[in-house]
Amino acid sequence: MSDYKQTLKLPQTGFPMKANLKQKEPETLKFWAQMDAYSAMVAANEGQKTYVLHDGPPYANGNIHMGTAMNKTLKDIVVKSRNMSGRQAQYVPGWDCHGLPIEHKVETELKKKKKELPAVTVRKLCREYALKFLDIQRTEFKRLGVFGTWDAPYKTLDPAYEAATARELGNFMDKGSVIRGKKPIYWCCSCHTALAEAEVEYADHSSPSIFVRFPLADKRVQALLPAGAKWDPAKTFVAIWTTTPWTLPDNMGVCVHPEFDYVFAEAGGCLYLMAERLLAPCAEIFGWDAPKVVARVTGAKIEGLEACHPFYKRKSPIILGDHVTLDTGTGCVHTAPGHGREDYDVGLKYGLEVYSPLDDAGRFLTDVEFFAGLTVFEANPKVIEKLKQVGNLLAQEKISHSYPHCWRCKEPVIFRATTQWFISMEANDLRKKSLKAIHETVRWIPAWGEERIGNMIENRPDWCISRQRNWGVPIVALICEDCDQAYYDTPWVMSVVDRFAKHPTGCDYWFEAPLEEIVPAGLKCPKCGREHWRRETDILDVWFDSGTSFAAVLEQRPELSCPADLYLEGSDQHRGWFHSSLLASMGTRGVPPYRTVLTHGYVVDGDGRKMSKSIGNVIAPQEIIDKYGAEILRMWVSAVNYQEDVRISDEILNRLVDAYRRIRNTVRFLLGNLADFDPATDAVAPGAMLPLDRFAMDLVESRHQTIQQAYEDFEFHKVYHTLHNLCTTDLSAFYLDIIKDRLYVCAGVERRSAQTVLWRALLILLNDMAPVLSFTAEEAYQTLPEATRPGGASVFTMRLPEAAQALSDAERQAFELLLAVRGEVTKAIEPRRKAGEIGHSLETQVTLFVESQLKNFAQAKLGDEGLKEFFIVSKVLLGDYDLAPDEAIGAEVSSPVKILVSKAAGAKCQRCWRYDDALGTNDLHPEICPRCTAVVLGA
């Protein structure tokens, strides 16, 4: 018996089956760095249409986590996919280097020394801290395989950036949009600073819930009671409810709704005013037995009545407000304009004092009777005690409710009225213009993002842009020492901004320069006429910093442009970067800074729980890289529906490892069977290809179009699933399974036709893989002989040759029907295999009883040889459907088909293993079939 193995064209490739990603990826990163793969990728599209993704800057204050790893990988997929499709997309990464998170870390390290150091020194330490972690994060992002201008990122601490931010403040000032005034804002007593809406997060908190009565001795009450009713002013009260007892010392009024029905109800010998609908639940809480309604009035009728403060000798007038609800409480709202937005607004209308006698630590000032020196939370029990003492506490209990906390220190925050800087939402129609842009200009993905940010903009207060910290861009203004008037004339502001741009450390100039250098000579206060000035020490809200990145980066970097095509961040940025960027751009440019906004969810563990150190379920990106390689992390990002919260666990990752192996093995098979293929000389023109190969080519091209559209629509999970199915189902289980015989056994056009499909399929796979499986795509591309690479030294410089003309719908449908029949044939063979009648499918002969249209197509397109190959059997006969014998099996396909399986006639060819009754017809090779004999002799 001869050994014919040496005559077979078996696969040959240096692309290993085992990936060894942990070892191989650093080598690939080194290769990319040496050849500057990012620049080469971008240069390959020189002159083509551009696409701008603007990077939202992460904080430079720690190692990256799974959320930032997912975010950067998503951006990388977008940028690479746009480049691979022929557009020039550049990626300029950025870092947010200012703000409380970094200053807080520096303060923790300094401890008590911080109070002794000048602002300039603290700023220097913050800068060093930010730059240290910027370098750490940059290395970690590059390890993920993310491309970008890593050597030239944008940093919010760069002098040019700081100057651009301060200039945008000047533009707002010039338009009359900036206000300095005393308003209640979120205040962190621990961090001693104002907070933006985006810097507040909600968590459960236990608070005292108290009902309090305010004496109501106003003589006008008598007129509201029935004629002849007895009325005792000393025993008449208005009842209120609050969960912040500490705000009662600052009470300035009681608010009722003008349209609600209120009652004077008699209980326990006293008369109480409250909302009629809430009388019954309140009576139960107070332990009243059948309170008697003496009179009914609408809220509008009691406007102007004067109650008395429950423990201070001052009036507390009854006022009207539409914010009053009947959800809980009494329908009469304790109003402290210094401690609530709605309280402030209604207090402004009635001229109430904005009283908030607290220091920056949240302690009552020395002139606050009974509570001086106490923090607000220390004051709660003392206020309750005082109410008991004076007899005005109706009821108390503890409640657990959602309460605002500082995002940095996690401590509860308060509303506190202090003098702050604001950007007006009404001046220059900022709110109106922003809402119009949200609903008419910007594309939101997912679509619910439009409603979410729209509601936030519609209901938000004026933008508090001042912070009482050191590390940030200063508010360029002078404050009169005598009358507190602010000076911020636009030409002067812009002249100072120009000095920021020229200073080695930017706006440190503001903190370093002598006051006389900053204050214009002879400047008199326009209010009091004096010349005693101090520089403003507040800095800008860090969200204003990052929100002006369109001006500092998009409008300044030559490789970018404004508006950006895409902003892509977590869903929390509807109230963060998306929000501040929109307001900053609409306020000074009148247009949004982005065309499309895409959001992703949070990363949670396998059980859907938020990652937390206390739970012990935190997974760091480096852990995944060390165990699986960055490629599997990238694959995970593409495989999930990132628009929702995304789960990750070892079980999920292990499933992806299996999927990765299947994709890799498909690539390996393609490479192995192209070892002797040179497309320049061996490629077969589409018209000369075997029909099956044309169908396979059409199938691959169709999947490619699906993947490209999925990239375009940011549906990366569809990219993953289509790519995986292309490898495992369309190629491995169908086409590659069929043509193994032809690739190994045949020569000439039959083999070259199949190789042409493999070459094109490989290029498509690499093109479609590269944005996600970047390391593997590059490794495979480098394995290709240089002559077969369609341009460039990297897979990212490759651009696909033009596709062949697609099959007609009729031809495609006919092949799809045959493909369905193939599945039925496999099922029909299986019982005989299980019974031991046959081993391999090549031991069988199949007879298909079909209608004439399918019969004619199969004979014309595949012929006898093609049918054997297609069904991987030794012989296929075609018969008329009407002549099928009873034992033929009906096929579950869209056309009438019956299948008859029998044992193949003849002997087994020792080269291709098909059964053939023509073995022995050649004396030189009696053990092989005529097909194999022709190949061997031809060789």
Side-chain angles (χ1 to χ4, degrees):
M1 182 181 288
S2 300
D3 182 7
Y4 289 102
K5 186 175 182 180
Q6 301 305 317
T7 70
L8 299 176
K9 300 284 188 178
L10 297 176
Q12 293 180 353
T13 179
F15 187 76
M17 183 181 295
K18 188 172 176 61
N20 286 319
L21 292 172
K22 290 182 290 182
Q23 291 74 36
K24 188 70 178 176
E25 286 172 353
E27 297 172 17
T28 305
L29 290 170
K30 186 177 179 181
F31 167 75
W32 284 335
Q34 288 172 342
M35 69 159 292
D36 193 1
Y38 167 73
S39 295
M41 175 181 74
V42 172
N45 294 324
E46 192 63 41
Q48 300 300 312
K49 184 179 179 181
T50 61
Y51 186 90
V52 177
L53 182 154
H54 183 35
D55 188 34
Y59 280 117
N61 70 324
N63 295 85
I64 67 171
H65 51 75
M66 283 306 304
T68 45
M70 179 172 72
N71 177 266
K72 276 292 190 287
T73 303
L74 285 170
K75 291 172 181 173
D76 192 52
I77 291 172
V78 171
V79 171
K80 286 174 177 171
S81 66
R82 293 305 187 266
N83 277 289
M84 298 297 281
S85 67
R87 281 164 290 182
Q88 190 174 61
Q90 303 217 40
Y91 179 59
V92 178
W95 273 273
D96 199 341
C97 304
H98 290 141
L100 184 58
I102 292 166
E103 189 171 353
H104 180 76
K105 290 286 187 181
V106 170
E107 284 182 355
T108 301
E109 293 177 4
L110 288 173
K111 297 179 181 176
K112 293 182 179 179
K113 291 182 183 177
K114 190 260 180 184
K115 295 180 180 178
E116 305 166 8
L117 297 175
V120 173
T121 303
V122 174
R123 289 175 61 84
K124 179 176 180 292
L125 294 172
C126 288
R127 180 177 291 104
E128 291 170 354
Y129 183 93
L131 291 173
K132 178 181 78 171
F133 276 101
L134 186 153
D135 283 336
I136 290 170
Q137 290 186 4
R138 173 164 44 197
T139 300
E140 292 174 329
F141 287 137
K142 289 169 73 173
R143 178 62 185 88
L144 293 171
V146 178
F147 282 9
T149 60
W150 292 113
D151 294 333
Y154 79 85
K155 306 184 286 288
T156 62
L157 56 65
D158 283 340
Y161 193 110
E162 291 180 335
T165 296
R167 191 173 292 112
E168 290 310 299
L169 173 65
N171 289 334
F172 270 107
M173 289 172 165
D174 187 51
K175 289 179 177 293
S177 296
V178 176
I179 304 164
R180 182 172 179 265
K182 190 175 184 181
K183 293 185 179 183
I185 42 83
Y186 284 117
W187 182 271
C188 179
C189 302
S190 175
C191 298
H192 295 191
T193 188
L195 297 175
E197 298 267 346
E199 295 169 329
V200 171
E201 54 189 30
Y202 284 80
D204 286 342
H205 180 71
S206 179
S207 297
S209 167
I210 63 172
F211 290 83
V212 180
R213 64 184 193 180
F214 282 53
L216 184 59
D218 193 314
K219 294 179 181 178
R220 288 171 289 181
V221 170
Q222 179 73 69
L224 299 172
L225 302 179
K230 290 183 179 180
W231 174 61
D232 185 348
K235 293 184 178 181
T236 304
F237 305 90
V238 56
I240 67 94
W241 170 74
T242 182
T243 58
T244 53
W246 65 266
T247 61
L248 281 170
D250 307 336
N251 171 274
M252 291 291 151
V254 176
C255 196
V256 299
H257 196 287
E259 297 174 4
F260 291 168
D261 291 324
Y262 289 84
V263 294
F264 285 95
E266 189 178 323
C270 297
L271 200 61
Y272 292 92
L273 173 65
M274 65 179 64
E276 183 172 18
R277 192 192 300 178
L278 294 170
L279 175 60
C282 284
E284 185 176 347
I285 293 170
F286 303 158
W288 291 348
D289 184 21
K292 178 185 176 183
V293 174
V294 176
R296 288 182 175 83
V297 291
T298 61
K301 294 290 187 181
I302 53 177
E303 180 187 19
L305 294 182
E306 287 190 341
C308 295
H309 192 282
F311 47 77
Y312 289 142
K313 293 180 180 179
R314 65 168 181 254
K315 299 296 183 182
S316 186
I318 294 179
I319 57 178
L320 302 180
D322 291 335
H323 64 282
V324 178
T325 70
L326 299 178
D327 295 337
T328 189
T330 67
C332 303
V333 177
H334 146 58
T335 300
H339 297 294
R341 175 186 167 189
E342 290 160 332
D343 293 28
Y344 172 83
D345 290 340
V346 73
L348 206 63
K349 176 182 172 184
Y350 284 92
L352 303 183
E353 182 182 353
V354 182
Y355 185 52
S356 181
L358 302 172
D359 65 13
D360 289 353
R363 290 187 180 277
F364 282 104
L365 301 180
T366 54
D367 60 348
V368 178
E369 190 179 3
F370 310 130
F371 313 110
L374 298 177
T375 68
V376 293
F377 297 112
E378 290 170 346
N380 272 334
K382 297 296 184 181
V383 170
I384 295 171
E385 187 179 313
K386 187 64 181 175
L387 288 168
K388 287 179 180 177
Q389 183 183 329
V390 297
N392 285 330
L393 182 68
L394 289 171
Q396 68 166 318
E397 60 183 352
K398 284 280 187 180
I399 63 166
S400 180
H401 60 145
S402 183
Y403 190 87
H405 288 68
C406 174
W407 71 317
R408 175 51 41 193
C409 69
K410 309 302 180 186
E411 293 296 325
V413 301
I414 63 171
F415 257 106
R416 176 194 177 203
T418 60
T419 300
Q420 301 288 340
W421 293 84
F422 300 88
I423 289 176
S424 169
M425 290 299 297
E426 311 312 329
N428 301 302
D429 288 329
L430 179 56
R431 190 189 311 276
K432 183 178 177 181
K433 290 176 182 176
S434 298
L435 288 170
K436 183 177 175 64
I438 288 168
H439 297 309
E440 297 181 11
T441 305
V442 180
R443 178 189 179 198
W444 302 93
I445 306 173
W448 52 257
E450 177 183 342
E451 182 179 3
R452 187 177 189 200
I453 193 170
N455 289 339
M456 290 175 176
I457 295 290
E458 190 165 11
N459 297 306
R460 68 157 297 140
D462 290 341
W463 182 3
C464 178
I465 57 171
S466 50
R467 297 292 180 273
Q468 292 64 50
R469 306 298 299 182
N470 288 312
W471 184 226
V473 176
I475 292 176
V476 182
L478 298 172
I479 309 299
C480 177
E481 294 271 31
D482 296 303
C483 70
D484 203 43
Q485 177 72 16
Y487 171 81
Y488 45 94
D489 183 64
T490 302
W492 170 77
V493 170
M494 295 307 185
S495 72
V496 173
V497 170
D498 290 341
R499 287 174 241 175
F500 290 177
K502 296 173 184 176
H503 193 277
T505 52
C507 59
D508 277 358
Y509 168 82
W510 182 255
F511 300 90
E512 295 172 355
L515 185 62
E516 56 268 24
E517 185 179 315
I518 293 176
V519 179
L523 179 66
K524 295 182 183 296
C525 175
K527 185 177 179 181
C528 71
R530 297 180 183 176
E531 299 181 18
H532 302 140
W533 297 99
R534 65 176 174 86
R535 74 191 92 200
E536 174 61 272
T537 55
D538 285 359
I539 62 169
L540 281 166
D541 171 17
V542 72
W543 292 108
F544 191 91
D545 271 30
S546 58
T548 54
S549 61
F550 71 90
V553 183
L554 292 178
E555 293 181 350
Q556 301 302 320
R557 297 279 294 235
E559 66 268 45
L560 303 176
S561 60
C562 191
D565 291 292
L566 181 68
Y567 275 34
L568 193 171
E569 302 298 332
S571 56
D572 57 333
Q573 295 308 310
H574 288 115
R575 63 175 186 151
W577 190 53
F578 302 151
H579 195 119
S580 63
S581 297
L582 179 68
L583 293 182
S585 183
M586 294 304 299
T588 58
R589 305 296 192 276
V591 294
Y594 38 64
R595 294 188 176 95
T596 300
V597 172
L598 176 64
T599 57
H600 59 78
Y602 295 101
V603 180
V604 295
D605 69 12
D607 296 321
R609 298 175 301 172
K610 182 180 178 180
M611 289 193 180
S612 166
K613 289 180 181 178
S614 61
I615 298 175
N617 63 344
V618 174
I619 301 174
Q622 193 60 46
E623 292 177 43
I624 295 174
I625 293 170
D626 290 343
K627 187 173 182 179
Y628 302 101
E631 196 80 313
I632 302 304
L633 191 152
R634 295 179 64 91
M635 193 176 185
W636 165 76
V637 171
S638 73
V640 297
N641 182 2
Y642 63 87
Q643 294 180 16
E644 302 171 350
D645 285 349
V646 180
R647 298 188 181 206
I648 191 166
S649 65
D650 281 337
E651 181 186 351
I652 291 168
L653 292 171
N654 284 327
R655 286 201 299 268
L656 290 172
V657 168
D658 289 339
Y660 171 80
R661 287 196 190 107
R662 287 191 283 273
I663 294 172
R664 184 180 182 88
N665 286 341
T666 301
V667 172
R668 186 171 185 269
F669 181 91
L670 298 178
L671 285 166
N673 285 283
L674 291 171
D676 64 339
F677 181 79
D678 183 347
T681 57
D682 300 330
V684 177
M689 292 171 68
L690 273 63
L692 172 63
D693 297 335
R694 285 280 293 115
F695 172 64
M697 182 84 87
D698 185 78
L699 183 62
V700 173
E701 294 285 358
S702 173
R703 300 296 185 261
H704 170 60
Q705 293 304 318
T706 298
I707 289 171
Q708 289 302 302
Q709 190 59 51
Y711 275 127
E712 195 68 26
D713 296 336
F714 311 107
E715 294 179 328
F716 305 136
H717 62 292
K718 187 179 287 186
V719 170
Y720 162 76
H721 288 295
T722 306
L723 186 68
H724 182 255
N725 289 337
L726 172 61
C727 289
T728 59
T729 304
D730 299 329
L731 290 175
S732 296
F734 163 52
Y735 182 64
L736 303 184
D737 192 33
I738 288 174
I739 63 165
K740 281 179 187 175
D741 174 79
R742 193 175 356 141
L743 289 170
Y744 301 168
V745 171
C746 296
V749 69
E750 292 91 349
R751 186 164 185 274
R752 293 306 190 195
S753 177
Q755 284 183 302
T756 303
V757 177
L758 298 193
W759 179 66
R760 176 71 181 177
L762 177 63
L763 296 186
I764 285 176
L765 264 181
L766 297 185
N767 180 90
D768 293 349
M769 283 168 56
V772 177
L773 300 177
S774 300
F775 293 98
T776 306
E778 189 67 80
E779 182 188 357
Y781 187 79
Q782 296 306 319
T783 306
L784 273 172
E786 202 163 328
T788 66
R789 300 177 195 169
S794 168
V795 69
F796 293 103
T797 60
M798 178 187 81
R799 299 297 177 263
L800 283 175
E802 191 172 340
Q805 186 175 352
L807 292 183
S808 67
D809 289 343
E811 189 170 354
R812 186 182 300 113
Q813 288 167 9
F815 264 116
E816 288 171 350
L817 176 57
L818 275 178
L819 190 55
V821 173
R822 182 175 181 266
E824 294 296 302
V825 167
T826 301
K827 287 197 289 186
I829 292 172
E830 190 59 27
R832 304 196 67 167
R833 192 201 309 274
K834 286 184 176 179
E837 297 173 23
I838 59 169
H840 194 278
S841 63
L842 289 173
E843 297 177 23
T844 62
Q845 169 184 300
V846 172
T847 305
L848 299 175
F849 299 94
V850 298
E851 290 190 329
S852 59
Q853 187 176 356
L854 182 58
K855 181 179 179 181
N856 294 337
F857 177 84
Q859 287 174 332
K861 294 296 182 181
L862 297 178
D864 290 344
E865 187 61 36
L867 284 166
K868 295 176 190 177
E869 176 187 66
F870 191 84
F871 291 101
I872 314 181
V873 296
S874 288
K875 192 162 189 177
V876 178
L877 300 175
L878 297 175
D880 293 333
Y881 182 77
D882 294 337
L883 300 177
D886 293 341
E887 62 269 27
I889 302 169
E892 296 179 6
V893 294
S894 60
S895 178
V897 175
K898 288 190 176 182
I899 304 165
L900 186 64
V901 177
S902 58
K903 190 84 170 174
K908 181 179 180 181
C909 171
Q910 294 304 308
R911 185 168 180 270
C912 71
W913 294 7
R914 278 188 187 169
Y915 284 73
D916 198 310
D917 52 14
L919 259 67
T921 55
N922 185 290
D923 293 338
L924 293 175
H925 299 284
E927 298 171 318
I928 60 177
C929 65
R931 181 184 65 147
C932 286
T933 301
V935 175
V936 171
L937 291 177

